[in-house]
Structures are given as structure tokens and as C-alpha cells.
Amino acid sequence: MNTASQITLIRQRFERESTGRKLRTTLYLAIRHLILDGALPPGTPLPATRVLADELGFSRSTLVRVYEQLVIEGYLQSRGGASTIVSEAIPAASSEKSGVFELPRPGASLSLRGREIARHANSSRIQGGAFVPGVPDVGLFPFPTWRRLLSKNVRFEQRHLARYSQGGYGPLKVALANYLRASRMMACTPQQILILNGSHQAIDLCARMLCDPGDRVWMEDPGYWGARNVLRANGLSLVPIPVDEEGINPPEVTPGEDPRLMFVSPSSQYPTGVVMSLSRRLRLLEQAEASGAWIIEDDYDNEIRYHPHTIGALFGQSRTQRVLYLGTFSKAMFPGLRLAYLVVPEYLAESFAIGNAELYREGRMIEQAALAEFIDAGHLGAHLKRVRNIYQERRNVLHTAIESRLQGAVRTTGGMAGLHLPYFFETPVNDVALASEALDAGIVFRPLSMYYDDVQHQRTGMVLGFAAVPSEAIDAAAGRLCGIVERHLKAAAR
């Protein structure tokens, strides 16, 4: 290939790569791709930098730096005063491989576990608006106070906060132990608390530290899809257990089919909002003790409650320490914070701290230090008091808007805590198709059916979030949604 042909190839490839990158980066990528594609075979002399710079209208220094980079990375070889050639260490491209490459089909290269995760994915790309469930109104959060606390811990150059930690920031764990004692009637030491990057990491840690592939896990049905996916990804066998008006209804344990884990949300079942009765709590604890199982208590939104009575944590009712308590700040503060905490039995505390450090490495100490002060200074309590009143008003507006239009067609449960209301259809409706049509109209909600693992007992409905929608915008959005629902109800009745 002569010099003119090489310059033409490089110019054409350069024009294809020009997508707003820096000139030198674009030229580097153009030449590298020509080498990898086989358009510039091994041993091919490249144009002299002066000649190529003149032809392309670049400075020679730019070409020299590009060539030097390609030499360092092994794509080119410099022959001293002679020309620079394409490295002979690069395998020659066969005629079958040269030209256009066909990319693998999406998911074709995933592992079995990867395909399972992708197949069961339920997280939404839309995280705002009417009526996305589980999302707080971040506009209500006192960011000036939070920013001041973060700046304070950065400004004082507390270098220990810039290092790894093990288990989390000590003063934050002390603050949480005091907070849980007062708000959840839990007696625990700071050493029993681990600070983690979100509830999914906490669930993953429990699965890795307590279970082996194939172990059985009792899951509430309907229940939290995120927990199902994390546990399924760890190779565990999920057993859906029905939920009724008293919470999870555990069956008698069959010998040889004992669960290793039980995942429950007793204070406000997700998504139904049902509070687990005392008899069910005691029965669950007895079964865990008899079978040697552990219970993961997901207390995802207990801080956002609309009744004056505190519901004690299951953790505090376990005499034999079979419960691991999971809390998060995603609802109480804001989801992007990605800080959760796990309270484990005393005899598991050291092993879990080691496992957490080995599996994930720990940091974000500056945020944890700011959070400790945020709690100790009373800012969290004041924020929660304020948003409870606002969210309760929004819940009431949504409930009135739905009931006034769909009375008799839907039934709701819970509503005493949290950021959403579930509505069950009395007549079966394709809630997935309904959600798709609603999305086209600018309304976002989760189909209730997606929370079920057992299709035989699956119910349809809507899980509607109200926290992030101003009260004055709820009625109009609910009106548009109910109009769509009514059309689907009429179609289902025909």
C-alpha cells in the first residue's frame, strides 16, 4: 500500500471517529482501529509525521505524540531513524475477520446468573413524577444543612475519614444504636451495626455470609422484587410464601425443606403495607429457632409512619438472636445517599465485619461523619417530622382521588406508613398493559402483579407513589390515570 492510499485511509477513518473528541484522541483512535481491523497490516510503514501532518492539516507535534503513544502501547514499532511500522507482534487479520464485525446479540455473552438478573430486572429508569412508588420528595430535604456538615468534615482535613474503614464510622454507629433504642425498642451495641452502601449490598452480604447455593429462602409474596433478584443471583432457591391481612403466613416446616433464610418486612409489608400480627411474629420466630434459620427484617420505611404508635422491631422480640435488622436512609433522607445499615446478632458481628471488608471494601467516611452529626444534632428528627405531615396530606389526597373515581373497582391495604398505596383490582385487569398505556399518558406506576413470584396466586393492581407529587398536582394526574383504568375495566368485563 502506497503512502497516498494510507493517508486516504487515515483521513476517512479520522472523519468517522470525529464525535466531539480532542483532535489528538480522534487521530489516535483512527490509526489504532485501522491496525486492529487489518487495514494497516503488520510490518506496514506509516507515512512520515511531517508528510501526514501536511496532508491532514495538523501540527507535526500532534502526529509525533500520537505515534509515540501507539509505540508505547505496542501498536507501532519505531526503527530509529527509519520509518515507523505497524508492529509485527499484532496477528494479521484473516479475510474472514477483516471488514465489518457482527456484534453478539444482547445477553448472548452473559453467564447463567447474568441472564437471570437481566431477565428478572424490575428497576425503573424513571425515578420521579406521578406516581413512582418508593421515591421521597428530595426537594424537601435540608440540603443547606447537609452541605454545611459535609464541608465541615472536609475543611477540617480529618485524614482518617479519607481511609478505608471496617464496619463503618464509629460515632455514626453509636448514634444509630441510640436512635434504634429510642425509636424501634432495640437493644444493640454499636459493634453489632455495619454501615453499607444501600440495602441491596446488605442483602447480598447476608446471602454470602449465611447461605450456600441451593439453600431455601422464604420470601413474602407479593414482596420486594429487589431482594428476590439479589438472593436469586446468589444461587438461592426462593420459596414464595403468601401474605394476607396479618402479614406473611408461614407454613409448617417440612423435614428436609427447612429454610435457611426468611426475608420479611413486618412493620410495613412491601408492597401491601400490612403490619405483621403478634401471633405471626411469634410463630415466625419459633420456626426460625426450630429450623436454625435466620430472618432478615427489612424495615425500609418505618421512619415515615402516619400513626402515633411505634411498632417494635422483630429484632427486639427474638430471644435467640435469629434476626438481622436492615435499615436504610433512602426514604428518610434521599435515595442517592446510598447508605444503609445492618444490625446483626452479637455472635455474627465480627465475621460480618470481616466479610464486608473483604467483599466490598469500605469508605465514604466523610458522608458517614456528616450523617452522625445530622442525627445527633436533631436534624434528621426535624426533617422526618416535617415530611410526615406533608406526605400524609398527599396520601390522603391520592386516596380520595382514586376512591372517588374507582369506588368498588379497587381495594387498598396498609397506608399507615411509607410512600405508596397499593390498589388491588376486584376484577382481573392486565396491569402490565395498563401501566404501559399510562406511561404514554405521562403517568408512572408499578403493576402489582410484578411483585408476585407465584403466578398461581398473582393479583393485579397498581402500586402508586405519592410522596414526590405535590398535593395540588395529584388530583389531575389521578384523573388521567382513572380514565385509563376505567377503559381497561370495561374491556375486561366484556
Side-chain angles (χ1 to χ4, degrees):
M1 182 186 297
N2 58 35
T3 300
S5 297
Q6 291 179 5
I7 292 173
T8 300
L9 270 177
I10 293 171
R11 178 183 287 111
Q12 291 173 344
R13 188 71 198 209
F14 175 83
E15 291 171 354
R16 285 174 56 189
E17 296 287 345
S18 295
T19 56
R21 300 186 185 96
K22 291 182 179 180
L23 185 149
R24 193 177 78 212
T25 301
T26 304
L27 184 58
Y28 158 82
L29 290 173
I31 297 175
R32 191 186 72 175
H33 284 152
L34 289 172
I35 293 171
L36 292 175
D37 291 348
L40 294 175
T44 301
L46 288 192
T49 54
R50 191 180 303 281
V51 173
L52 186 56
D54 289 343
E55 290 292 334
L56 297 180
F58 302 154
S59 68
R60 182 168 179 260
S61 63
T62 297
L63 267 297
V64 168
R65 294 179 71 178
V66 169
Y67 276 25
E68 287 176 346
Q69 182 66 35
L70 291 166
V71 168
I72 291 171
E73 294 181 6
Y75 293 101
L76 299 180
Q77 290 177 281
S78 177
R79 302 194 299 187
S83 61
T84 300
I85 66 169
V86 176
S87 174
E88 294 178 344
I90 297 175
S94 65
S95 58
E96 291 84 3
K97 291 182 179 180
S98 60
V100 179
F101 288 87
E102 182 178 348
L103 294 175
R105 289 177 291 105
S109 300
L110 296 177
S111 65
L112 289 175
R113 177 171 54 192
R115 288 199 289 273
E116 278 289 288
I117 293 171
R119 185 166 70 90
H120 292 282
N122 283 312
S123 56
S124 173
R125 293 184 176 89
I126 303 172
Q127 290 295 311
F131 292 102
V132 178
V135 179
D137 188 342
V138 297
L140 299 176
F141 186 73
F143 280 106
T145 300
W146 181 247
R147 184 167 56 248
R148 176 175 57 79
L149 293 174
L150 286 174
S151 299
K152 172 186 173 182
N153 283 283
V154 171
R155 186 170 62 249
F156 288 170
E157 294 187 19
Q158 300 187 65
R159 298 184 182 181
H160 65 284
L161 298 180
R163 303 189 181 106
Y164 291 122
S165 68
Q166 183 158 331
Y169 182 59
L172 174 58
K173 298 203 290 183
V174 171
L176 284 173
N178 294 332
Y179 173 77
L180 292 171
R181 186 178 299 108
S183 66
R184 306 298 288 118
M185 293 178 281
M186 287 173 55
C188 64
T189 66
Q191 289 72 33
Q192 290 175 254
I193 300 176
L194 295 169
I195 311 299
L196 302 129
N197 295 328
S199 59
H200 283 210
Q201 182 179 312
I203 297 167
D204 187 64
L205 178 63
C206 291
R208 290 172 181 265
M209 296 301 293
L210 298 176
C211 300
D212 293 314
D215 281 347
R216 297 165 64 84
V217 183
W218 282 4
M219 300 290 299
E220 297 172 323
D221 199 47
Y224 180 41
W225 51 266
R228 282 204 307 258
N229 290 349
V230 172
L231 295 169
R232 185 184 286 114
N234 279 279
L236 304 182
S237 177
L238 307 187
V239 182
I241 308 296
V243 169
D244 59 23
E245 65 278 1
E246 293 187 62
I248 191 171
N249 189 10
E252 293 298 326
V253 178
T254 304
E257 296 186 353
D258 297 4
R260 181 70 169 175
L261 277 182
M262 304 173 181
F263 187 89
V264 295
S265 47
S267 297
S268 179
Q269 199 278 327
Y270 190 77
T272 67
V274 168
V275 177
M276 189 185 297
S277 68
L278 177 60
S279 61
R280 292 280 175 85
R281 288 170 178 249
L282 297 177
R283 183 171 150 198
L284 199 67
L285 290 169
E286 288 173 3
Q287 290 180 312
E289 183 177 352
S291 61
W294 281 274
I295 299 172
I296 300 177
E297 177 181 10
D298 183 13
D299 205 18
Y300 64 98
D301 67 357
N302 183 66
E303 290 87 358
I304 312 297
R305 60 182 183 274
Y306 311 116
H307 54 86
H309 306 294
T310 298
I311 299 173
L314 192 66
F315 183 96
Q317 295 174 295
S318 176
R319 294 172 299 178
T320 56
Q321 298 192 53
R322 306 303 302 178
V323 181
L324 297 92
Y325 177 91
L326 171 57
T328 175
F329 294 99
S330 294
K331 308 293 188 291
M333 294 176 65
F334 54 95
L337 182 62
R338 303 309 305 140
L339 283 179
Y341 55 95
L342 186 68
V343 187
V344 303
E346 290 181 85
Y347 58 89
L348 292 178
E350 183 177 356
S351 297
F352 264 66
I354 292 171
N356 187 44
E358 289 298 311
L359 289 172
Y360 312 110
R361 304 301 287 162
E362 301 170 81
R364 304 184 63 186
M365 297 286 279
I366 292 172
E367 290 158 292
Q368 293 184 38
L371 180 54
E373 291 192 53
F374 192 76
I375 295 172
D376 285 337
H379 299 304
L380 179 61
H383 172 63
L384 289 173
K385 183 178 180 180
R386 178 185 178 221
V387 297
R388 282 190 198 111
N389 292 330
I390 294 172
Y391 292 162
Q392 184 171 12
E393 178 189 352
R394 294 177 181 180
R395 179 205 62 177
N396 295 342
V397 172
L398 175 62
H399 181 65
T400 300
I402 297 296
E403 288 290 324
S404 64
R405 293 176 172 92
L406 300 177
Q407 188 173 19
V410 295
R411 177 180 62 87
T412 190
T413 57
M416 297 304 292
L419 309 179
H420 72 272
L421 285 173
Y423 284 93
F424 294 79
F425 288 127
E426 298 293 355
T427 301
V429 173
N430 186 334
D431 56 1
V432 175
L434 175 61
S436 178
E437 186 176 337
L439 182 60
D440 293 337
I443 304 294
V444 186
F445 71 86
R446 286 190 181 276
L448 186 62
S449 61
M450 65 168 281
Y451 292 88
Y452 285 86
D453 204 30
D454 184 354
V455 295
Q456 291 185 338
H457 297 94
Q458 191 177 69
R459 295 284 306 275
T460 61
M462 307 176 293
V463 179
L464 305 180
F466 53 79
V469 191
S471 295
E472 59 272 17
I474 289 177
D475 190 70
R480 295 201 306 274
L481 173 61
C482 289
I484 298 170
V485 171
E486 287 169 346
R487 290 200 301 274
H488 279 255
L489 287 171
K490 290 177 182 178
R494 287 198 295 267

